[in-house]
């Protein structure tokens, strides 16, 4: 029985920001620019997806039975502390999950600023025929949310 992924987490929406500062915010760290890679695919056997997402796209190591899903739409917003300080200088604890980021934004602790280089000047991005989205030249921390899935999934 074929298992399909329908949510951002369950779908193995591989979200990799190629910035060293993504998971270790440091005060006084030099700003780094990188590319946000989003991959969306389905698989027959989820156990073959592997544990690590780092470098899978660049090394061509996606699982052999992975089927790319085109037409999936994601929203991308930059996350900054609402106190106006840099992450390393703020007393705010960096959200470790998407839900923590949303909760912090709802509580007024984190500001979410839509990235407006997507479709028609919005913060919406659609996966291509290879099931991927690449957003280059980013600097900072971003919340990525899947807002619509591929047809039939």
């Amino acid at each position: 029985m074929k298992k399909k992924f329908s949510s951002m987490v369950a779908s193995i929406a591989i979200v990799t920001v190629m910035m060293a500062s993504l998971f270790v915010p440091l005060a006084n760290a030099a700003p780094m620019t990188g590319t946000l890679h989003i991959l969306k695919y389905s698989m027959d056997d989820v156990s073959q997806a592997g544990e690590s997402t780092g470098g899978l796209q660049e090394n061509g190591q996606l699982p052999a039975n992975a089927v790319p899903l085109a037409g999936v739409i994601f929203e991308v917003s930059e996350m900054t502390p609402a106190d106006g300080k840099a992450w390393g200088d703020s007393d705010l604890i960096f959200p470790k999950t998407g839900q923590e980021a949303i909760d912090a934004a709802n509580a007024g602790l984190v500001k979410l600023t839509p990235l407006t280089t997507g479709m028609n000047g919005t913060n919406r991005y659609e996966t291509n025929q290879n099931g991927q989205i690449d957003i280059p030249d980013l600097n900072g921390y971003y919340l990525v949310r899947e807002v619509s899935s591929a047809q039939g999934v």
Side-chain angles (χ1 to χ4, degrees):
M1 182 173 193
K2 190 169 190 164
K3 294 181 182 180
K4 298 269 184 172
F5 300 102
S6 62
S7 71
M8 182 170 38
V9 175
S11 68
I12 312 293
I14 301 174
V15 180
T16 306
V17 176
M18 303 306 292
M19 293 183 270
S21 63
L22 177 64
F23 296 107
V24 186
L26 301 173
N28 303 322
M32 299 185 74
T33 301
T35 297
L36 175 67
H37 300 288
I38 302 170
L39 302 177
K40 178 77 175 190
Y41 59 92
S42 68
M43 301 178 62
D44 289 335
D45 184 358
V46 179
S47 68
Q48 296 177 5
E51 295 294 319
S52 173
T53 58
L56 291 178
Q57 180 195 33
E58 290 81 7
N59 298 329
Q61 296 175 350
L62 291 178
N65 62 346
V67 177
L69 296 175
V72 180
I73 297 176
F74 292 87
E75 287 182 344
V76 181
S77 298
E78 184 174 15
M79 298 187 313
T80 55
D83 62 13
K85 297 179 181 177
W87 280 107
D89 297 330
S90 178
D91 292 332
L92 182 66
I93 296 172
F94 187 79
K96 293 181 180 74
T97 66
Q99 188 59 54
E100 284 182 13
I102 293 167
D103 291 345
N106 289 338
L109 301 172
V110 171
K111 180 179 174 187
L112 296 177
T113 305
L115 185 64
T116 57
T117 59
M119 300 181 304
N120 300 316
T122 69
N123 69 329
R124 291 184 171 221
Y125 298 81
E126 183 174 355
T127 56
N128 63 19
Q129 291 302 102
N130 296 322
Q132 73 182 53
I133 300 167
D134 293 321
I135 308 171
D137 302 323
L138 296 181
N139 183 341
Y141 304 92
Y142 295 85
L143 175 65
V144 177
R145 293 184 276 191
E146 182 177 330
V147 293
S148 81
S149 189
Q151 289 185 345
V153 177

